[in-house]
């Protein structure tokens, strides 16, 4: 059993903690929480709580939360740390993990150059085997890899152009915006294009990113240039083989991200999450060799299965197909046609 | 075992269906769905599906959803119907229920005058015993009753003034607004005040309602005139005895409805619902005999326990305290101090 410590119990950290806790080959050795808020209180019912430094112990005690030690203690008692701290902090924490000679996973907000490699289960599970420090790419990059890698693996894609409509902030945030505005990123390609190349090196992709006032999901508008003889049925047939893609139809009521997340609630999964990337089947078309499609991404949860598979790859305890199957079964991931 | 048919599987109907399905003295005989959309597809994995009329059967079959019959068939095979159809339709459906001599619960969108009585578990469980047609009051009225009845039961409240900040629409809706506007209701008092009197007849209350661009929860700002000798500790002590009230503190991270619904997700309940009314403990104060407090209401789910208790009251199979206890245990409702 692999002991997994979670450093940072935010949107991703808490979901990785849940995901790990339902596997049969790993367990949560503890979680590090910075503030004794309601999230810490709820977490303390399930997990051992650690804090970033000695000074914090008193603050947590005052709030009635029992603390088992500091992040250093957790490093000593874990086989691997998953770093869910805010963007940029993971790189700093890496020296701590190295000091305690504990493996670590950083999340998509960190730089590729700081780690031994970047991870996506479909595109490079085997390449990350036995590595000590691995980064799971961001929610958007994961989503791009999920739908593009299966095509890339079958056909020569000469180029991809993607527009990424990003949710402004996560649902539990009432501070960040934009509340009532559209905020385009001037950088072209946006960081998503080079990020995708860390897990699919030879893909030729350009991306544009725009923040919009919503919290539920991201939406991607994707155009990919394919060989002339490929048709939409070929593409659907390939996608159906990949369990982390869910093909939905707008005329079944999926008019927007609101209904997609509503469907996720109906599926009664932990936190009403949707691990699969939802692709609108009726958006798929090919014109003059350009495949066009729309997909929706639940930014809070799509990277969770990847974190679990990354652990199995880094310890080389399971092969790719079996790891993905175990993860999907335990999280009730069920793609294919809705 | 009481067979419960659900007519209308929307926000409330689907949640009553879940709530009933986890009781040991009732079961779901079937649900009526109007459209063969993704909600119907998900529902068909758990429940028998019925349709409003014969003509619909073919439409559902084409979508691959097996239909057991029409709403009339469901009426014949149920002991009680819970009507979750859109506002105003419940009244029309009442004649159908009467024709088939089946008991029925209407929801808060319907008129009090159409039924034998209106229901709230805390304030009038006993008065609804053995009644055939009962209305469970709306989410907002339920919330007002939850926090005001315990005080009303202990002290003389000379008057109440409440401002109801209403969410514009439910999270699964991408059509209705206001998307970016504040929409006050000119009617004063708003319909909530007379509605509360249907379940607490002698309360003197005025209400103002304002729609705001959010989907998560309603927020109530409440002022109640109390006898001079009551202090805030007296009020908190009373509220703590009522399991469907949850006392939260803003300094534990509950800055807004966003964090309250996030906490509900952490509790891993069905659909990440929050059945309890959340009262901000640090908003409670008494000045010149006026009790002031703020509460937040999860409009999708707070009436679910009331629907279950209403069924037990109407069949007179359990007394008030035991029915509430069974409902609360089965839905994991846990109020008191957070």
């Amino acid at each position: 059993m692999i002991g997994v410590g979670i450093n940072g119990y935010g949107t991703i950290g808490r979901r990785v903690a849940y995901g790990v806790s339902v596997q049969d080959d790993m367990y949560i050795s503890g979680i590090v929480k910075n503030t004794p808020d309601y999230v810490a209180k709820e977490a303390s019912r399930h997990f051992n709580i650690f804090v970033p430094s000695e000074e914090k112990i008193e603050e947590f005690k005052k709030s009635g939360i029992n603390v088992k030690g500091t992040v250093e203690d957790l490093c000593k008692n874990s086989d691997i740390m998953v770093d869910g701290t805010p963007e940029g902090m993971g790189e700093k924490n890496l020296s701590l993990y190295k000091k305690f000679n504990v493996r670590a996973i950083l999340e998509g907000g960190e730089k590729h150059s700081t780690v031994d490699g970047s991870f996506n289960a479909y595109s490079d599970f085997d390449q990350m085997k036995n590595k000590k420090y691995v980064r799971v790419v961001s929610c958007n990059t994961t989503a791009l890899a999920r739908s593009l890698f299966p095509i890339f693996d079958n056909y020569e894609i000469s180029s991809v152009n993607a527009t990424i409509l990003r949710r402004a902030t996560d649902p539990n945030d009432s501070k960040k915006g934009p509340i009532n505005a559209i905020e385009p990123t001037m950088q072209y390609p946006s960081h998503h294009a080079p990020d995708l190349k860390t897990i699919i090196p030879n893909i030729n992709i350009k991306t544009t990113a725009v923040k919009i006032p919503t919290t539920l999901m991201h939406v991607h508008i994707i155009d990919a240039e394919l060989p002339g003889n490929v048709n939409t049925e070929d593409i659907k047939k390939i996608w159906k083989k990949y369990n982390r893609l869910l093909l939905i139809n707008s005329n079944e009521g999926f008019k927007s991200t609101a209904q997609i997340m509503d469907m996720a609630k109906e599926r009664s999964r932990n936190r009403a999450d949707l691990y699969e990337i939802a692709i609108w089947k009726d958006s798929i078309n090919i014109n003059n060799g350009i495949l066009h499609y729309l997909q929706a991404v639940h930014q809070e949860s799509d990277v969770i299965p990847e974190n679990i598979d990354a652990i199995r790859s880094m310890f080389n305890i399971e092969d790719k197909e079996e790891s993905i199957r175990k993860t999907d079964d335990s999280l009730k991931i069920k793609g294919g046609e809705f």
Side-chain angles (χ1 to χ4, degrees), chain A residues 45-114:
Chain A
R45 295 178 188 174
H46 308 287
F47 304 118
N48 288 329
I49 308 291
F50 294 79
V51 288
S53 60
E54 293 279 354
E55 303 88 68
K56 286 267 175 184
I57 297 179
E58 206 45 43
E59 187 187 343
F60 272 66
K61 263 191 192 157
K62 268 186 203 151
S63 303
I65 300 171
N66 191 21
V67 171
K68 295 283 175 186
T70 67
V71 62
E72 305 209 341
D73 298 316
L74 185 59
C75 286
K76 285 180 213 160
N77 290 295
S78 302
D79 300 306
I80 185 168
M81 296 291 291
V82 175
D83 193 295
T85 59
E87 198 170 318
M89 280 183 63
E91 189 177 337
K92 288 175 198 150
N93 292 332
L94 206 52
S95 56
L96 180 77
Y97 308 141
K98 286 180 178 172
K99 179 181 157 194
F100 286 96
N101 195 28
V102 61
R103 286 166 199 255
I105 290 177
L106 305 189
E107 299 300 322
E110 307 304 320
K111 287 196 211 86
H112 174 66
S113 57
T114 61

Side-chain angles (χ1 to χ4, degrees), chain A residues 172-208:
Chain A
N172 64 349
D173 184 3
S174 57
K175 260 195 209 164
K176 272 204 251 174
I179 294 302
N180 181 30
I182 297 168
E183 186 178 304
T185 305
M186 294 304 131
Q187 189 191 10
Y188 180 76
S190 66
H191 72 271
H192 307 90
D195 204 37
L196 188 66
K197 290 183 193 184
T198 68
I199 50 173
I200 311 179
N202 298 316
I203 198 161
N204 175 20
I205 183 169
K206 293 273 185 294
T207 50
T208 306

Side-chain angles (χ1 to χ4, degrees), chain A residues 1-55:
Chain A
M1 292 282 275
I2 297 165
V4 183
I6 306 284
N7 190 12
Y9 195 75
T11 300
I12 301 302
R14 61 175 98 167
R15 287 175 166 84
V16 175
Y18 166 76
V20 166
S21 74
V22 295
Q23 306 307 312
D24 63 8
D25 49 4
M26 52 187 89
Y27 68 96
I28 292 294
S29 46
I31 66 138
V32 182
K33 188 80 183 67
N34 193 37
T35 323
D37 57 9
Y38 71 94
V39 181
K41 239 178 186 173
E42 289 289 340
S44 67
R45 295 178 188 174
H46 308 287
F47 304 118
N48 288 329
I49 308 291
F50 294 79
V51 288
S53 60
E54 293 279 354
E55 303 88 68

Side-chain angles (χ1 to χ4, degrees), chain A residues 147-148 151 220-222 239 279 283-284 291-295:
Chain A
S147 60
L148 286 170
I151 305 175
H220 295 174
I221 304 163
I222 300 173
W239 277 341
I279 300 176
S283 78
I284 306 167
L291 164 70
H292 172 86
Y293 65 99
L294 302 174
Q295 65 182 19

Side-chain angles (χ1 to χ4, degrees), chain A residues 17 42 71 79 86 111 126 135 140 148 181 184 204 207 209 211 213 237 240 243 254 287 289 307 312-313 328 332 336:
Chain A
E42 289 289 340
V71 62
D79 300 306
K111 287 196 211 86
D126 290 332
R135 183 182 73 114
N140 276 311
L148 286 170
N204 175 20
T207 50
K211 263 196 216 170
K237 213 170 138 185
K240 278 180 210 167
N243 198 37
F254 295 114
N287 258 313
N307 273 270
R312 291 208 187 91
S313 167
D328 287 3
K332 301 180 204 161

Side-chain angles (χ1 to χ4, degrees), chain A residues 306-338:
Chain A
E306 311 300 319
N307 273 270
I308 294 163
D309 290 329
I311 294 170
R312 291 208 187 91
S313 167
M314 292 164 74
F315 285 90
N316 199 3
I317 52 168
E318 207 73 78
D319 71 19
K320 177 178 169 178
E321 279 65 35
E322 181 59 10
S323 175
I324 291 174
R325 192 198 60 74
K326 284 182 82 152
T327 304
D328 287 3
D329 283 359
S330 59
L331 294 177
K332 301 180 204 161
I333 295 174
K334 208 192 151 297
E337 295 222 50
F338 178 82

